[in-house]
Amino acid sequence: MMRRLDTPALYIFTADETVFHRIREMGALADGRWNAQRLVRPIELDNLPVGSLVMVDIAHPQRPEWSDSRWRTWAGHLSIIALSSQPQDDEGIAAMDVGAAGYCHAYANEATLRQVVEVVSSGELWVGRSLLTRLLKGVNHNVNENAGQGTAARIATSPTQAWRALLTERELEVATMAAQGASNLGIAEVLGITERTVKAHLTSIFDKLDVADRLQLALKVHGVK
Amino acid sequence: MMRRLDTPALYIFTADETVFHRIREMGALADGRWNAQRLVRPIELDNLPVGSLVMVDIAHPQRPEWSDSRWRTWAGHLSIIALSSQPQDDEGIAAMDVGAAGYCHAYANEATLRQVVEVVSSGELWVGRSLLTRLLKGVNHNVNENAGQGTAARIATSPTQAWRALLTERELEVATMAAQGASNLGIAEVLGITERTVKAHLTSIFDKLDVADRLQLALKVHGVK
DNA sequence: CGGCGCATCGTACCCAGGTACAGGTAGGGT
DNA sequence: ACCCTACCTGTACCTGGGTACGATGCGCCG
């Protein structure tokens, strides 16, 4: 009713239908109420009301290069959230560096996306755990960059690795191979066991990690979902 | 996905009555519902349930030095939010460096505090605008330590998005959805077309990207392979 | 000792995903 | 006119992946 007046407009600059619809649907839901509007051309960014919240899909073919001066112009009067379908620290830094107020996965889950929107619209900045962790490390020049693992007490176990703790040694082998795209038979041959056993392990893995199939498993293993 | 939403306990380690009561009151309110419990001695941090959310007032007289090993121990199984009544970038860095998941003003307003709690409890990290801005600046001045080579304009270009150019607009939509784990029928419904058509698109996609199935597609899309 | 987790394997069954072989329309370029 | 591409759809078929309902042996622990 009256409530609609304070529904904030959320502009989404993307060439990807899916991205737009996904985010718009979220905004249409009960609680997270924002009103998503799509932008398809860069020019449209120029005349938005001051203070507008704009998501910019950096996979858009017409997205300006980072060196483009338009970025800073926009950032001057807009709150920009950069969306990436393959977030990388370097890319995030580049985006934030030209004035973006947020940088996150274009297909982040609803809770995360809502959080990003809230944080940014409240005037704060947002970057994901990975990037922030790296930024913090960067300052401390002398942090041992042991790629190999084994040290128990790292900075709070990465959430994307949490699933590992749930699996047995054998299951871990099977899970990683399956997540790499290996077939059941292929895994069986490598491990020297029957395909049936591989299936058994996978069933257990799916159950423990609460996923439906090997694709969902792969997404979880690789930190996509 | 059965996620438990029961009463999130929020432990607050502080010697300051005001800080505790302020935050507890916020938690008692309608929406932000957390159950604040006070801790007064450092020892009490040791036996908290794994994953607990703990705010640590760094003005507490018995607060361990940053060099104290207890910090990392706690950070290993707790989510720690460091509270400062006079936030400073250096202090924030120190706190995050010993494993804190958040750093904010002890007297931050309700909205902010709630946001910090939500962000941290969802597994992300939180630092304020000031600190984050500084971290981002810091990176630009001395970019080196990282990938081992090219300090040059390694930034902007995302590595493997070449495949996008090979696909038509429609195929791109289907590909991204499939790579996110969507089923053929699900994709069909979203796009308003037949499952058969989705299959047709996928066949074309597989052919163009030289992959065998949707799992391989997902790996390619997400830059795994 | 009995129970439990873990790893291994068998047979039978269902079905989403993918292929093969067919088309159809619309638009743009030569 | 003709061809090519993008996009759409239908029927039929096969197979790998996943499940259901079992089984065996082993090591650990109260």
Side-chain angles (χ1 to χ4, degrees):
Chain A
M1 317 262 178
M2 309 289 183
R3 197 58 66 85
R4 290 185 56 183
L5 287 181
D6 50 32
T7 303
L10 173 63
Y11 299 95
I12 307 180
F13 172 72
T14 181
D16 189 334
E17 288 280 344
T18 323
V19 168
F20 174 67
H21 283 110
R22 241 184 117 254
I23 299 177
R24 196 186 55 169
E25 288 312 304
M26 291 179 185
L29 292 180
D31 271 13
R33 37 181 176 359
W34 61 69
N35 176 23
Q37 298 192 19
R38 185 167 178 188
L39 310 176
V40 288
R41 291 175 307 161
I43 313 95
E44 300 181 67
L45 279 273
D46 293 332
N47 295 322
L48 294 179
V50 174
S52 297
L53 197 54
V54 187
M55 288 185 162
V56 176
D57 182 352
I58 58 186
H60 192 297
Q62 291 168 41
R63 187 257 311 175
E65 291 302 311
W66 297 123
S67 54
D68 196 307
S69 66
R70 278 175 291 178
W71 280 112
R72 296 222 164 254
T73 309
W74 292 333
H77 64 285
L78 302 173
S79 292
I80 299 180
I81 298 174
L83 301 179
S84 171
S85 42
Q86 292 171 32
Q88 287 186 325
D89 291 348
D90 290 341
E91 192 180 60
I93 292 174
M96 300 299 285
D97 201 44
V98 296
Y103 175 74
C104 72
H105 202 299
Y107 289 91
N109 62 54
E110 185 174 337
T112 303
L113 223 37
R114 188 165 297 166
Q115 224 170 54
V116 178
V117 169
E118 279 175 17
V119 167
V120 170
S121 61
S122 78
E124 291 286 338
L125 303 179
W126 170 284
V127 298
R129 185 187 188 97
S130 154
L131 177 50
L132 187 45
T133 305
R134 167 161 157 196
L135 289 174
L136 287 163
K137 273 185 188 168
V139 173
N140 269 30
H141 59 283
N142 57 355
V143 182
N144 35 357
E145 196 74 24
N146 295 339
Q149 44 161 344
T151 44
R154 288 196 45 186
I155 302 179
T157 53
S158 175
T160 53
Q161 298 275 318
W163 55 272
R164 288 182 166 267
L166 300 174
L167 305 182
T168 69
E169 199 64 32
R170 201 56 156 171
E171 286 168 350
L172 213 45
E173 291 183 276
V174 176
T176 21
M177 294 184 69
Q180 285 292 322
S183 70
N184 288 345
L185 191 55
I187 298 174
E189 284 168 354
V190 171
L191 297 185
I193 54 181
T194 314
E195 185 179 358
R196 177 65 190 85
T197 308
V198 174
K199 287 186 173 184
H201 285 309
L202 279 173
T203 303
S204 171
I205 292 167
F206 296 156
D207 189 42
K208 287 181 177 178
L209 302 190
D210 192 31
V211 296
D213 51 41
R214 64 208 298 115
L215 177 48
Q216 304 295 333
L217 170 66
L219 295 178
K220 175 157 285 192
V221 167
H222 295 112
V224 178
K225 274 190 174 178
Chain B
M1 44 172 82
M2 311 286 183
R3 191 147 296 125
R4 61 179 56 174
L5 287 180
D6 38 18
T7 56
L10 173 63
Y11 299 94
I12 308 180
F13 172 72
T14 182
D16 188 334
E17 288 284 341
T18 325
V19 168
F20 174 66
H21 284 109
R22 239 184 118 254
I23 299 177
R24 195 186 56 168
E25 287 314 303
M26 292 178 185
L29 292 179
D31 271 13
R33 40 195 167 349
W34 60 70
N35 177 23
Q37 298 192 20
R38 185 165 177 190
L39 308 177
V40 288
R41 292 174 306 162
I43 312 96
E44 300 180 69
L45 280 274
D46 293 331
N47 295 322
L48 294 179
V50 174
S52 298
L53 198 55
V54 187
M55 288 184 161
V56 175
D57 181 354
I58 58 187
H60 192 296
Q62 290 168 40
R63 188 256 314 175
E65 291 301 311
W66 297 125
S67 55
D68 195 308
S69 67
R70 277 176 292 178
W71 279 112
R72 294 217 167 256
T73 308
W74 291 333
H77 65 286
L78 301 172
S79 293
I80 298 180
I81 298 175
L83 300 178
S84 171
S85 41
Q86 292 162 27
Q88 287 184 328
D89 291 348
D90 290 340
E91 191 181 59
I93 292 174
M96 300 299 285
D97 200 45
V98 296
Y103 175 74
C104 73
H105 202 300
Y107 288 92
N109 62 52
E110 184 174 338
T112 305
L113 222 38
R114 186 166 299 167
Q115 222 169 56
V116 178
V117 169
E118 277 175 19
V119 167
V120 170
S121 62
S122 79
E124 291 287 338
L125 304 179
W126 171 284
V127 299
R129 185 183 190 100
S130 153
L131 177 50
L132 186 46
T133 306
R134 164 155 162 201
L135 289 174
L136 286 162
K137 275 184 188 163
V139 169
N140 285 349
H141 293 248
N142 41 357
V143 191
N144 39 27
E145 39 83 26
N146 184 28
Q149 43 153 357
T151 60
R154 158 90 177 76
I155 293 181
T157 54
S158 179
T160 44
Q161 289 214 336
W163 56 272
R164 287 182 163 264
L166 300 174
L167 305 182
T168 69
E169 197 67 29
R170 203 54 158 172
E171 287 167 350
L172 211 47
E173 294 183 272
V174 175
T176 29
M177 293 186 70
Q180 285 292 320
S183 70
N184 288 346
L185 192 55
I187 297 173
E189 285 169 354
V190 171
L191 297 185
I193 55 180
T194 315
E195 183 179 358
R196 176 64 189 86
T197 309
V198 175
K199 287 185 175 184
H201 285 309
L202 278 173
T203 303
S204 171
I205 292 167
F206 295 156
D207 189 43
K208 287 181 177 177
L209 302 191
D210 191 34
V211 294
D213 51 40
R214 64 209 296 115
L215 177 48
Q216 305 294 333
L217 169 66
L219 295 178
K220 174 157 284 193
V221 166
H222 295 112
V224 179
K225 272 188 174 177

